[in-house]
Short mmCIF file of all heavy atoms in Angstrom, two decimals:
data_model
loop_
_atom_site.label_atom_id
_atom_site.label_comp_id
_atom_site.label_asym_id
_atom_site.label_seq_id
_atom_site.Cartn_x
_atom_site.Cartn_y
_atom_site.Cartn_z
N LEU A 43 79.76 35.85 51.05
CA LEU A 43 79.98 36.07 49.65
C LEU A 43 80.63 34.76 49.10
O LEU A 43 81.63 34.37 49.66
CB LEU A 43 80.93 37.26 49.40
CG LEU A 43 80.36 38.63 50.00
CD1 LEU A 43 81.39 39.80 49.71
CD2 LEU A 43 79.00 39.00 49.39
N PRO A 44 80.05 34.17 48.15
CA PRO A 44 80.46 32.77 47.73
C PRO A 44 81.99 32.75 47.37
O PRO A 44 82.63 31.69 47.73
CB PRO A 44 79.69 32.61 46.43
CG PRO A 44 78.43 33.36 46.66
CD PRO A 44 78.89 34.65 47.38
N SER A 45 82.63 33.72 46.73
CA SER A 45 84.00 33.66 46.30
C SER A 45 84.90 34.20 47.37
O SER A 45 86.06 33.71 47.53
CB SER A 45 84.19 34.38 44.97
OG SER A 45 83.39 33.82 44.01
N ARG A 46 84.49 35.28 48.09
CA ARG A 46 85.49 35.89 48.99
C ARG A 46 85.43 35.32 50.40
O ARG A 46 86.42 35.18 51.03
CB ARG A 46 85.19 37.39 49.09
CG ARG A 46 86.15 38.15 49.93
CD ARG A 46 86.18 39.60 49.66
NE ARG A 46 86.72 39.80 48.27
CZ ARG A 46 86.99 41.07 47.82
NH1 ARG A 46 86.77 42.21 48.51
NH2 ARG A 46 87.51 41.23 46.54
N GLY A 47 84.32 34.99 50.90
CA GLY A 47 84.14 34.53 52.26
C GLY A 47 83.12 35.39 53.03
O GLY A 47 82.13 35.89 52.37
N THR A 48 83.28 35.41 54.36
CA THR A 48 82.26 36.20 55.15
C THR A 48 82.82 37.55 55.46
O THR A 48 83.97 37.61 55.81
CB THR A 48 81.90 35.40 56.43
OG1 THR A 48 81.48 34.06 56.10
CG2 THR A 48 80.89 36.12 57.19
N ILE A 49 82.07 38.58 55.34
CA ILE A 49 82.55 39.98 55.56
C ILE A 49 81.45 40.79 56.17
O ILE A 49 80.26 40.50 56.09
CB ILE A 49 82.96 40.56 54.17
CG1 ILE A 49 83.59 41.88 54.35
CG2 ILE A 49 81.70 40.67 53.28
CD1 ILE A 49 84.23 42.46 53.07
N ALA A 50 81.99 41.71 56.99
CA ALA A 50 81.12 42.69 57.63
C ALA A 50 81.75 44.10 57.56
O ALA A 50 82.99 44.14 57.57
CB ALA A 50 80.80 42.37 59.10
N VAL A 51 80.99 45.10 57.44
CA VAL A 51 81.57 46.50 57.46
C VAL A 51 80.95 47.15 58.68
O VAL A 51 79.75 47.13 59.03
CB VAL A 51 80.99 47.19 56.15
CG1 VAL A 51 81.66 48.74 56.20
CG2 VAL A 51 81.55 46.52 54.94
N VAL A 52 81.95 47.80 59.43
CA VAL A 52 81.62 48.35 60.72
C VAL A 52 82.23 49.77 60.87
O VAL A 52 83.08 50.09 60.05
CB VAL A 52 82.05 47.43 61.99
CG1 VAL A 52 81.45 46.03 61.80
CG2 VAL A 52 83.59 47.26 61.82
N ALA A 53 81.88 50.42 61.95
CA ALA A 53 82.52 51.66 62.28
C ALA A 53 82.91 51.49 63.81
O ALA A 53 82.22 50.96 64.55
CB ALA A 53 81.53 52.87 62.06
N ASP A 54 84.06 52.01 64.14
CA ASP A 54 84.42 51.97 65.46
C ASP A 54 83.77 52.86 66.34
O ASP A 54 82.78 53.57 65.87
CB ASP A 54 86.05 52.13 65.57
CG ASP A 54 86.47 53.60 65.33
OD1 ASP A 54 85.70 54.45 65.30
OD2 ASP A 54 87.69 53.68 65.06
N HIS A 55 84.10 53.10 67.66
CA HIS A 55 83.32 53.88 68.61
C HIS A 55 83.32 55.40 68.15
O HIS A 55 82.38 56.09 68.62
CB HIS A 55 84.00 53.70 69.98
CG HIS A 55 85.38 54.37 69.96
ND1 HIS A 55 86.41 53.86 69.21
CD2 HIS A 55 85.80 55.45 70.63
CE1 HIS A 55 87.48 54.57 69.45
NE2 HIS A 55 87.13 55.52 70.20
N ASP A 56 84.22 55.82 67.29
CA ASP A 56 84.28 57.13 66.89
C ASP A 56 83.86 57.39 65.43
O ASP A 56 84.05 58.55 64.96
CB ASP A 56 85.71 57.67 67.22
CG ASP A 56 85.82 58.94 67.67
OD1 ASP A 56 84.82 59.57 68.13
OD2 ASP A 56 86.90 59.54 67.77
N GLY A 57 83.54 56.35 64.74
CA GLY A 57 83.00 56.56 63.40
C GLY A 57 83.89 56.09 62.27
O GLY A 57 83.52 56.18 61.15
N ALA A 58 85.10 55.66 62.57
CA ALA A 58 86.08 55.25 61.49
C ALA A 58 85.68 53.92 60.99
O ALA A 58 85.33 52.96 61.66
CB ALA A 58 87.51 55.10 62.12
N ILE A 59 85.56 53.80 59.63
CA ILE A 59 84.99 52.63 58.99
C ILE A 59 86.08 51.72 58.55
O ILE A 59 87.12 52.08 58.11
CB ILE A 59 84.15 53.11 57.63
CG1 ILE A 59 83.00 53.93 58.10
CG2 ILE A 59 83.72 51.94 56.82
CD1 ILE A 59 82.27 54.56 56.98
N PHE A 60 85.70 50.34 58.76
CA PHE A 60 86.66 49.38 58.26
C PHE A 60 85.83 48.08 58.05
O PHE A 60 84.67 48.00 58.41
CB PHE A 60 87.82 49.03 59.22
CG PHE A 60 87.47 48.59 60.60
CD1 PHE A 60 87.54 47.22 60.95
CD2 PHE A 60 87.00 49.48 61.62
CE1 PHE A 60 87.19 46.82 62.16
CE2 PHE A 60 86.69 49.05 62.83
CZ PHE A 60 86.73 47.69 63.14
N ALA A 61 86.50 47.08 57.35
CA ALA A 61 85.74 45.74 57.20
C ALA A 61 86.47 44.76 57.92
O ALA A 61 87.61 44.82 58.29
CB ALA A 61 85.71 45.48 55.69
N MET A 62 85.75 43.64 58.23
CA MET A 62 86.32 42.35 58.81
C MET A 62 85.95 41.26 57.91
O MET A 62 84.84 41.19 57.39
CB MET A 62 85.76 42.23 60.20
CG MET A 62 86.03 43.43 61.15
SD MET A 62 85.39 43.14 62.76
CE MET A 62 83.64 43.08 62.52
N VAL A 63 86.91 40.33 57.72
CA VAL A 63 86.68 39.23 56.78
C VAL A 63 87.30 37.97 57.29
O VAL A 63 88.31 37.94 57.94
CB VAL A 63 87.29 39.61 55.38
CG1 VAL A 63 88.81 39.70 55.42
CG2 VAL A 63 86.92 38.63 54.28
N ARG A 64 86.46 36.86 57.10
CA ARG A 64 87.09 35.56 57.20
C ARG A 64 87.02 34.98 55.76
O ARG A 64 86.01 34.67 55.21
CB ARG A 64 86.27 34.63 58.06
CG ARG A 64 86.77 33.22 58.15
CD ARG A 64 85.89 32.40 59.18
NE ARG A 64 86.20 31.00 59.06
CZ ARG A 64 87.21 30.37 59.76
NH1 ARG A 64 88.11 31.09 60.46
NH2 ARG A 64 87.55 29.10 59.57
N THR A 65 88.22 34.95 55.16
CA THR A 65 88.37 34.42 53.72
C THR A 65 87.97 33.04 53.55
O THR A 65 88.07 32.24 54.56
CB THR A 65 89.74 34.57 53.28
OG1 THR A 65 90.60 34.03 54.18
CG2 THR A 65 90.09 36.04 53.15
N ARG A 66 87.39 32.63 52.46
CA ARG A 66 86.78 31.35 52.18
C ARG A 66 87.92 30.33 52.34
O ARG A 66 87.75 29.20 52.96
CB ARG A 66 86.20 31.29 50.81
CG ARG A 66 85.39 30.00 50.55
CD ARG A 66 84.93 29.88 49.16
NE ARG A 66 86.06 29.72 48.22
CZ ARG A 66 86.04 29.49 46.97
NH1 ARG A 66 84.87 29.59 46.35
NH2 ARG A 66 87.13 29.46 46.23
N ASP A 67 89.06 30.46 51.71
CA ASP A 67 90.05 29.52 51.58
C ASP A 67 91.40 29.71 52.30
O ASP A 67 92.42 29.10 52.25
CB ASP A 67 90.41 29.22 50.14
CG ASP A 67 89.16 28.65 49.34
OD1 ASP A 67 88.50 27.78 49.91
OD2 ASP A 67 89.03 29.11 48.25
N GLY A 68 91.43 30.95 53.08
CA GLY A 68 92.64 31.27 53.78
C GLY A 68 93.12 32.60 53.28
O GLY A 68 92.83 33.10 52.16
N ASP A 69 93.92 33.28 54.06
CA ASP A 69 94.40 34.67 53.80
C ASP A 69 95.68 34.53 52.77
O ASP A 69 96.26 33.45 52.65
CB ASP A 69 94.83 35.29 55.02
CG ASP A 69 93.72 35.57 55.98
OD1 ASP A 69 92.58 35.65 55.47
OD2 ASP A 69 93.99 35.82 57.18
N PRO A 70 95.91 35.69 52.14
CA PRO A 70 97.13 35.68 51.31
C PRO A 70 98.36 35.32 52.06
O PRO A 70 98.42 35.69 53.27
CB PRO A 70 97.20 37.12 50.68
CG PRO A 70 95.81 37.70 50.98
CD PRO A 70 95.25 36.95 52.22
N PRO A 71 99.40 34.81 51.37
CA PRO A 71 100.64 34.57 52.06
C PRO A 71 101.23 35.85 52.56
O PRO A 71 101.04 36.87 51.92
CB PRO A 71 101.65 33.96 50.98
CG PRO A 71 100.59 33.34 50.04
CD PRO A 71 99.38 34.29 50.06
N GLU A 72 101.97 35.82 53.72
CA GLU A 72 102.47 37.03 54.27
C GLU A 72 103.84 37.33 53.71
O GLU A 72 104.74 36.42 53.86
CB GLU A 72 102.58 36.94 55.81
CG GLU A 72 102.84 38.31 56.40
CD GLU A 72 102.32 38.40 57.81
OE1 GLU A 72 101.87 37.33 58.43
OE2 GLU A 72 102.35 39.46 58.42
N ARG A 73 104.02 38.46 53.01
CA ARG A 73 105.37 38.70 52.44
C ARG A 73 105.85 40.07 52.97
O ARG A 73 104.98 40.94 53.31
CB ARG A 73 105.23 38.74 50.93
CG ARG A 73 104.90 37.41 50.39
CD ARG A 73 104.80 37.44 48.78
NE ARG A 73 104.52 36.20 48.10
CZ ARG A 73 103.34 35.89 47.71
NH1 ARG A 73 102.26 36.71 47.94
NH2 ARG A 73 103.15 34.61 47.20
N LYS A 74 107.15 40.40 52.78
CA LYS A 74 107.64 41.74 53.02
C LYS A 74 107.04 42.68 52.05
O LYS A 74 106.99 42.31 50.81
CB LYS A 74 109.16 41.72 52.88
CG LYS A 74 109.83 43.09 53.25
CD LYS A 74 111.29 42.97 53.17
CE LYS A 74 111.80 42.08 54.24
NZ LYS A 74 113.38 42.10 54.20
N PRO A 75 106.58 43.84 52.34
CA PRO A 75 105.88 44.73 51.43
C PRO A 75 106.88 45.27 50.28
O PRO A 75 107.93 45.77 50.70
CB PRO A 75 105.48 45.91 52.36
CG PRO A 75 105.46 45.48 53.66
CD PRO A 75 106.39 44.33 53.81
N ALA A 76 106.57 44.90 49.08
CA ALA A 76 107.35 45.42 47.94
C ALA A 76 107.15 46.80 47.66
O ALA A 76 106.12 47.46 48.18
CB ALA A 76 107.01 44.58 46.70
N LEU A 77 108.03 47.55 46.98
CA LEU A 77 107.78 48.89 46.55
C LEU A 77 106.60 48.98 45.83
O LEU A 77 106.13 48.10 44.96
CB LEU A 77 109.08 49.36 45.76
CG LEU A 77 110.32 49.77 46.50
CD1 LEU A 77 111.49 49.95 45.56
CD2 LEU A 77 110.11 50.98 47.38
N ASN A 78 105.83 50.07 46.08
CA ASN A 78 104.59 50.50 45.32
C ASN A 78 103.48 49.54 45.67
O ASN A 78 102.54 49.34 44.96
CB ASN A 78 104.88 50.46 43.86
CG ASN A 78 105.83 51.60 43.41
OD1 ASN A 78 105.88 52.66 44.04
ND2 ASN A 78 106.66 51.34 42.43
N THR A 79 103.57 48.81 46.79
CA THR A 79 102.37 48.13 47.39
C THR A 79 102.06 48.61 48.83
O THR A 79 102.84 49.42 49.33
CB THR A 79 102.77 46.62 47.42
OG1 THR A 79 103.73 46.25 48.30
CG2 THR A 79 103.16 46.11 46.04
N PHE A 80 101.00 48.02 49.38
CA PHE A 80 100.65 48.52 50.65
C PHE A 80 101.62 48.08 51.76
O PHE A 80 102.07 46.93 51.89
CB PHE A 80 99.21 47.91 51.04
CG PHE A 80 98.12 48.46 50.24
CD1 PHE A 80 97.63 47.87 49.04
CD2 PHE A 80 97.58 49.69 50.56
CE1 PHE A 80 96.53 48.45 48.39
CE2 PHE A 80 96.54 50.28 49.91
CZ PHE A 80 96.11 49.69 48.65
N LEU A 81 101.93 49.04 52.55
CA LEU A 81 103.03 48.92 53.59
C LEU A 81 102.43 48.91 54.94
O LEU A 81 102.83 48.02 55.83
CB LEU A 81 104.00 50.16 53.44
CG LEU A 81 104.87 50.36 54.61
CD1 LEU A 81 105.99 49.20 54.61
CD2 LEU A 81 105.51 51.72 54.51
#
């Protein structure tokens, strides 16, 4: 994907779905999770 990077959507051995990504320009900076954000 031109803006996001390379991505694939997969399911594990038991069917749980997730995606894998190699971002185009690098991942977001790693920060301590703020309130009301993903933990």
